[in-house]
Amino acid sequence: QVQLQESGPGLVKPSQTLSLTCTVSGASISSGVYYWSWIRQPAGKGLEWIGRIYSSGSINYNPSLKSRVTISVDTSKDQFSLKLSSVTAADTAVYYCARAVGGMRNNYYYYYMDVWGKGTTVTVSS
Amino acid sequence: SYELTQPPSVSVSPGQTASITCSGDKLGAKYAYWYLQKPGQSPVLVIYQDNQRPSGIPERFSGSNSGNTATLTISGTQAMDEADYYCQAWDSSTVVFGGGTKLTVL
């Protein structure tokens, strides 16, 4: 059974870079079947998609965060990572990593997250 | 940018049918997805590709999508179904989430 686990500092200072890693167990990132995504959720608010990466290195970012986000993958460790630069208090949130399924069906593109990590809370504060 | 709109809250009595809507421009021309999230837990996929249930999701959960509106229907709602529900779509190479609907089972 595939599991995802987020890890990284729980406290980041304003203007610094937030760095998180998601470790995948029970599946191989390099299998080429799935995408790997980051999503965040401020306390009491809704979900916000940050971006996704494919094992080949193909990447898509949320346009609202694109200038500050970098997602990368290390297939040798079955890990993928998130870096968010120049953070402010508005970046305080629970950050989730997730496995995603994407492709074409009936001429429509489908994409959804089917397995989620437990989430890790990141607070931006001095 | 593409937007999905959900009602902030929906209430239902136990055993009744709950319907949660998600509206977006020509949403019926895309696939819609639904997640439930209980307090302190990660989201769980309950409907994918408009009306498909992942394994392990009870049959009382169903979905539809047409025109500008996708609907999640929970038949015979149980107290354990009380949660926040989020719709999701894919547009212009990005994931879009609705704002979420808090389902209260009274």
Side-chain angles (χ1 to χ4, degrees), chain A residues 37 39 41 45-49 52 60-63 96 105-114 116-119, chain B residues 28-31 33 35 37 40-45 48-49 51-52 86 88-90 93-99:
Chain A
S37 284
I39 304 98
Q41 184 175 36
K45 297 189 177 180
L47 301 168
E48 180 179 33
W49 185 72
R52 70 170 184 177
N60 296 100
Y61 296 131
N62 184 325
Y96 296 100
R105 178 174 179 252
N106 297 334
N107 291 321
Y108 293 140
Y109 186 77
Y110 61 87
Y111 186 86
Y112 57 95
M113 284 67 68
D114 67 340
W116 295 62
K118 293 186 184 300
Chain B
K30 309 177 190 296
Y31 281 123
Y33 309 89
Y35 304 85
Q37 184 181 36
Q41 298 184 18
S42 307
V44 173
L45 179 73
Y48 67 98
Q49 292 173 5
N51 54 24
Q52 303 298 303
Y86 295 91
Q88 178 239 307
W90 174 263
S93 300
T94 62
V95 167
V96 181
F97 287 107

Side-chain angles (χ1 to χ4, degrees), chain B residues 59-97:
Chain B
E59 291 184 6
R60 64 179 181 274
F61 288 88
S62 62
S64 63
N65 184 17
S66 178
N68 294 320
T69 303
T71 302
L72 173 69
T73 302
I74 309 172
S75 303
T77 307
Q78 301 182 8
M80 66 186 302
D81 300 329
E82 187 164 284
D84 293 327
Y85 289 82
Y86 295 91
C87 61
Q88 178 239 307
W90 174 263
D91 181 81
S92 301
S93 300
T94 62
V95 167
V96 181
F97 287 107

Side-chain angles (χ1 to χ4, degrees), chain A residues 16 28 30 40 45 59 63-64 68 71 74 84 103 111 125:
Chain A
Q16 294 190 342
S28 172
S30 59
R40 70 180 183 178
K45 297 189 177 180
I59 299 172
S64 68
R68 298 193 293 130
I71 296 176
D74 185 340
L84 182 65
Y111 186 86
S125 175

